[in-house]
């Protein structure tokens, strides 16, 4: 008998859609399956004002059409005006504000160096109920790249949470058991997104048998114990954990380079991969919460109307190895195992 799984239309709580020719090529890959997504603001130049977010939203909708709702974010800088943030949120232009420590990842040069200089914005956000989304890695050159998330929790995140206990925070794309434990230690107001690829790969996949640039992303995948902690959190039914794919396209030439860009492009096959991962964990019944329920609850939004249906095939399903865009081809994430779940 054919096995089918019908879910409410899912949401992606962390997505890079880029702009221009790249966006035209890759945005349909997300809009096909997802009803809404939190759109990252790390364009060049970054999206720092409400007016820029409104203009970017129009450019996205021109590509995706109205069946997809981009939930916009502002890129927090030391010059961000609290009044602009609050006004953009009140006007329904933005959903959240993104904190990048300066230099932590792709296009983060305008991020925050001195966290005391954004106190005023964080206080205004706390008062207005605007969530803060964190790229949780310190950039201190003394700190090993595999430790940067755990150190961020101690040095940056926990102090922010103590000074602004009412500020709602989402730890984006968590990669460690430390982050899972920190979320669980907090009584309220803290959630975390988990990507598709961090449920599948550990650091061996990047480095053993040759360097695999298409598995390199930030935060970088950690050792297997951490992947297992993420898998346990995602498949536990705990509503504080929800999907944020962090699907982050770069043209292949920029990835397959002496200094390759960070980012895995998973929009095309994310739902197939997740169905398989949850099935293997004997948690297929909990996939709906992870992709369609928990995030909406955290953000105080209604679940989406409509549904998507996945069907389990006898033989592996085909998906494109790369998406051709006007900015060059973009390799689709290869989970390293055949996929049997197809989105109908
Ligand atoms: C993202 C990108 O390319 O914009 N890259 C990544 O490796 N995840 C930035 C980010 O989310 O860190
Ligand atoms: Zn990202």
């Amino acid at each position: 008998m054919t096995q089918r799984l019908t879910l409410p239309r899912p949401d992606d709580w962390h997505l890079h859609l880029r702009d221009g020719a790249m966006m035209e090529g890759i945005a349909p890959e997300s809009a096909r399956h997802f009803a809404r997504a939190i759109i990252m603001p790390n364009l060049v130049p970054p999206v720092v004002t409400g007016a820029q977010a409104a203009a970017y939203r129009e450019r996205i909708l021109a590509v995706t059409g109205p069946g997809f709702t981009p939930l916009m974010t502002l890129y927090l800088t030391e010059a961000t005006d609290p009044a602009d943030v609050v006004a953009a949120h009140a006007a329904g232009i933005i959903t959240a504000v993104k904190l990048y420590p300066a230099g932590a990842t792709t296009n983060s040069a305008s991020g925050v160096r001195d966290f005391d200089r954004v106190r005023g914005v964080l206080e205004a956000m706390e008062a207005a109920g605007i969530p803060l989304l964190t790229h949780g890695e310190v950039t201190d050159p003394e700190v090993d790249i595999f430790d940067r998330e755990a150190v961020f929790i101690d040095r940056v995140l926990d102090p922010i949470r103590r000074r602004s206990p009412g500020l709602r925070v989402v730890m984006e794309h968590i990669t460690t058991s430390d982050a899972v434990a920190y979320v669980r230690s907090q009584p309220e107001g803290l959630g975390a997104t988990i990507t598709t690829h961090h449920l599948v790969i550990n650091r061996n996949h990047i480095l053993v048998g040759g360097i695999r640039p298409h598995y390199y992303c930030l935060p970088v995948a950690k050792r297997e114990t951490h992947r297992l902690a993420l898998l346990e959190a995602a498949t536990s039914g705990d509503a504080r954990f929800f999907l944020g794919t962090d699907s982050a396209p770069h043209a292949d030439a920029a990835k397959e380079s002496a200094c390759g860009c960070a980012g895995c492009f998973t929009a095309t096959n994310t739902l197939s991969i997740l169905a398989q991962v949850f099935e293997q964990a004997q948690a297929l019944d909990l996939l709906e919460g992870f992709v369609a329920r928990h995030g909406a609850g955290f953000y105080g939004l209604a679940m989406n109307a409509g549904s998507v249906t996945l069907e389990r095939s006898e033989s592996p399903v085909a998906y494109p190895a790369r998406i051709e865009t006007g900015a060059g081809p973009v390799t689709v994430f290869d989970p390293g195992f055949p996929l049997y779940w197809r989105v109908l």
Side-chain angles (χ1 to χ4, degrees):
M1 198 191 76
T2 315
Q3 195 183 350
R4 286 194 174 174
L5 178 66
T6 296
L7 306 169
R9 275 193 85 200
D11 297 308
D12 184 347
W13 299 102
H14 181 126
L15 177 63
H16 298 269
L17 284 183
R18 313 303 192 202
D19 213 343
M22 176 62 87
M23 175 162 76
E24 282 174 32
I26 58 89
E29 299 299 297
S30 290
R32 185 176 300 137
H33 297 157
F34 291 90
R36 297 177 291 210
I38 286 275
I39 307 302
M40 287 297 121
N42 63 332
L43 304 181
V44 188
V47 179
V48 292
T49 66
Q52 288 168 345
Y56 184 30
R57 180 168 67 181
E58 292 314 307
R59 297 198 298 279
I60 294 168
L61 287 170
V63 172
T64 64
F68 176 79
T69 302
L71 302 171
M72 308 309 292
T73 61
L74 290 184
Y75 184 120
L76 182 61
T77 76
E78 292 177 11
T80 296
D81 174 8
D84 181 57
V85 172
V86 171
H89 185 257
I93 296 167
I94 63 152
T95 300
V97 173
K98 181 67 191 268
L99 167 68
Y100 291 101
T105 187
T106 310
N107 306 334
S108 62
S110 334
V112 178
R113 283 186 171 74
D114 178 354
F115 296 95
D116 285 335
R117 300 185 73 163
V118 296
R119 277 291 346 138
V121 185
L122 298 185
E123 280 162 17
M125 289 167 58
E126 182 179 11
I130 306 170
L132 178 72
L133 316 183
T134 60
H135 182 105
E137 290 188 288
V138 292
T139 53
D140 181 345
E142 303 281 302
V143 178
D144 188 278
I145 191 166
F146 292 102
D147 299 333
R148 288 180 172 198
E149 182 170 286
V151 174
F152 178 87
I153 294 169
D154 290 343
R155 283 197 199 163
V156 183
L157 180 58
D158 195 58
I160 288 176
R161 302 257 317 139
R162 285 174 196 276
R163 278 187 74 169
S164 300
L167 179 65
R168 296 179 69 69
V169 177
V170 182
M171 297 172 72
E172 299 288 346
H173 44 51
I174 59 170
T175 60
T176 58
S177 58
D178 310 72
V180 170
Y182 186 70
V183 171
R184 290 207 164 121
S185 75
Q186 302 289 297
E188 59 185 10
L190 183 65
T193 56
I194 300 178
T195 76
T196 306
H197 49 283
H198 287 114
L199 293 175
V200 172
I201 62 167
N202 62 37
R203 63 197 197 180
N204 279 14
H205 293 88
I206 311 171
L207 296 170
V208 172
I211 191 157
R212 316 281 168 149
H214 295 289
Y215 289 156
Y216 175 60
C217 70
L218 288 170
V220 69
K222 309 296 190 295
R223 59 171 68 237
E224 178 66 1
T225 49
H226 294 292
R227 187 189 72 87
L228 292 174
L230 300 175
L231 185 62
E232 190 280 322
T235 60
S236 67
D238 186 331
R240 292 172 290 190
F241 299 101
F242 35 92
L243 175 65
T245 64
D246 194 19
S247 183
H250 293 275
D252 284 351
K255 298 264 321 159
E256 298 165 8
S257 144
C259 183
C261 291
C264 296
F265 178 67
T266 54
T268 302
N269 54 7
T270 269
L271 288 182
S272 298
I273 297 171
L274 289 174
Q276 193 136 323
V277 165
F278 274 65
E279 180 184 42
Q280 266 159 23
Q282 296 181 350
L284 214 42
D285 55 323
L286 296 172
L287 182 60
E288 170 173 327
F290 185 66
V291 303
R293 227 176 247 290
H294 300 169
F298 185 90
Y299 279 92
L301 298 170
M303 269 173 52
N304 298 307
S307 59
V308 294
T309 297
L310 290 114
E311 185 178 271
R312 199 184 196 295
S313 314
E314 291 297 317
S315 47
V317 300
Y319 59 86
R322 54 191 62 77
I323 303 295
E324 298 298 334
T325 81
V330 175
T331 289
V332 174
F333 179 76
D334 172 6
F337 44 77
L339 296 175
Y340 291 90
W341 287 92
R342 186 163 55 97
V343 184
L344 296 182

